[in-house]
Amino acid sequence: MGSEAQSKAKFIVLLGAPGAGKGTQATYLEEELGIPHVSSGDLFRENLREETELGKLARTYMDRGELVPDEVTIAMVKERLARPDCAEGVILDGFPRTIAQAQALDGILAEKGHKIGVVPYIKVADEVLLARLAGRWTCRQCGAIYHQLFSPPKVAGRCDECGGELYQRADDTPETQRRRIEVYFQQTTPLIEHYRERGLLVEIDGEQPIERVRADLLAAIRANGRS
Ligand code: AP5
Ligand code: MG
C-alpha cells in the first residue's frame, strides 16, 4: 500500500467491559470517520440468526457468557478484515479480547502493512455496567442500541432509525450479564496493560452522557490515530 493511503488508515480498537458503550459509540464513529464498525459479537449474532455451524458453536459459549475459542473467533474476524471496505481502517468492537487475539490482530494488520493507531479504553465502574445492560434494547433490523432510561426510543419497542422491532439480547439475563463481566475481568483486562505498555491506550471516562463520551473519543482518535 502506498504511503499516502497508509497515513490515512485508521485502525482503532475499542476496549471496554460489557455495557461500557462500545457498540453505541462505534455506530457514531463509523459515520463520523467513514470506516466500518466491526463487532465480533455482532458477527457471532449474524451467524446465530443464519444458523451456520459457527453460529451453533458460538451459541453454546455466548449463552453462558463465556468467550468463544480464540481459533474460531480469529478466523471469523480475519475473514471480515480481508474485505475491501476495511482497507482504509476499521473500528474494532469486542475484538481482541485475549492476548492471543491481540497478537493475531497484529499479524493480520501487518500482512497488509498496517498497525493499530489508537486503543480508546471506555472506562465504566462495575455497578454502572449492570444497570446499562439491564435496560438495553437493540433493533432487530438495523442494530441501533437504546436504553430504556438513558437513551430511550421515541416510541416504545420501535427503532427511531428504521422502525424495526426492539429486542433484549439473549445474553442480557442477570446471570449471564454477571458472568460476562467476570470473564471480562479475567480474560480481557490484561489487554489494558498490553496496549498501555505499547503507548496506544487512551482512557475515556465512559460514565459521562453518551454525547460527551463521543466527543472525548473523537478527540482522542484525532490526536492519537494516524488520521
Ligand atoms: P459482545 O456483543 O461484544 O458483548 P459485550 O462485550 O459483552 O459488550 P456489549 O455489547 O454488551 O456492551 P457495549 O460495550 O457494546 O455496550 P452498548 O453500547 O450496547 O459479545 C457478546 C458475546 O459474544 C461474548 O460474551 C462472547 O461470548 C462472544 N464474543 C464476542 N467477541 C468475542 C471475542 N473477541 N472472543 C471470544 N468471544 C467473543 O451499551 C450498553 C447500554 O448502555 C445500552 O443500552 C446503551 O444505550 C447504554 N449506554 C451506552 N453508553 C451510555 C452512556 N454513556 N450513558 C448511559 N447509557 C449508555
Ligand atoms: Mg456491543
Side-chain angles (χ1 to χ4, degrees):
M1 144 169 296
S3 59
E4 195 188 330
Q6 180 154 358
S7 69
K8 284 186 192 154
K10 303 181 194 80
F11 291 87
I12 299 159
V13 171
L14 286 185
L15 269 189
K22 302 180 297 293
T24 301
Q25 297 298 336
T27 310
Y28 292 131
L29 294 176
E30 178 173 48
E31 208 170 294
E32 194 73 32
L33 304 173
I35 50 175
H37 165 206
V38 171
S39 153
S40 43
D42 287 349
L43 292 173
F44 283 130
R45 281 184 287 277
E46 253 172 61
N47 277 279
L48 249 60
R49 264 196 309 276
E50 289 163 13
E51 296 182 3
T52 65
E53 286 309 310
L54 173 61
K56 285 178 201 156
L57 173 78
R59 187 187 299 277
T60 61
Y61 295 91
M62 292 171 82
D63 283 352
R64 289 182 284 125
E66 304 291 337
L67 295 188
V68 180
D70 281 339
E71 205 180 281
V72 273
T73 305
I74 291 166
M76 175 184 74
V77 175
K78 186 173 182 183
E79 188 279 321
R80 177 67 188 88
L81 293 180
R83 294 193 214 155
D85 63 330
C86 295
E88 291 296 304
V90 67
I91 303 148
L92 279 164
D93 154 11
F95 183 92
R97 250 175 158 95
T98 62
I99 294 287
Q101 291 181 16
Q103 287 164 344
L105 176 63
D106 287 344
I108 295 167
L109 294 181
E111 275 177 27
K112 307 255 182 213
H114 295 308
K115 50 185 177 181
I116 298 169
V118 62
V119 181
Y121 163 40
I122 308 177
K123 208 173 165 181
V124 173
D126 305 7
E127 58 276 16
V128 178
L129 297 172
L130 285 172
R132 296 250 185 111
L133 294 173
R136 169 168 57 191
W137 290 85
T138 306
C139 176
R140 214 180 272 290
Q141 212 158 282
C142 75
I145 301 166
Y146 298 89
H147 190 282
Q148 61 197 30
L149 299 177
F150 311 135
S151 178
K154 292 189 181 93
V155 178
R158 285 282 148 209
C159 178
D160 293 353
E161 305 293 325
C162 73
E165 180 202 2
L166 303 185
Y167 79 104
Q168 288 196 291
R169 268 170 45 178
D171 62 348
D172 274 347
T173 61
E175 196 185 324
T176 313
Q177 284 165 0
R178 271 193 297 275
R179 184 64 194 140
R180 279 161 55 210
I181 292 169
E182 270 170 27
V183 166
Y184 167 80
F185 281 102
Q186 287 162 3
Q187 300 191 50
T188 306
T189 49
L191 291 182
I192 298 168
E193 286 318 309
H194 174 83
Y195 286 121
R196 201 195 307 276
E197 280 164 15
R198 295 173 62 196
L200 292 169
L201 196 85
V202 182
E203 285 191 17
I204 304 288
D205 175 2
E207 290 183 33
Q208 308 174 91
I210 292 173
E211 296 70 28
R212 286 297 323 156
V213 178
R214 177 191 187 183
D216 285 1
L217 271 169
L218 274 173
I221 291 165
R222 293 202 164 119
N224 296 282
R226 293 184 298 152
S227 56

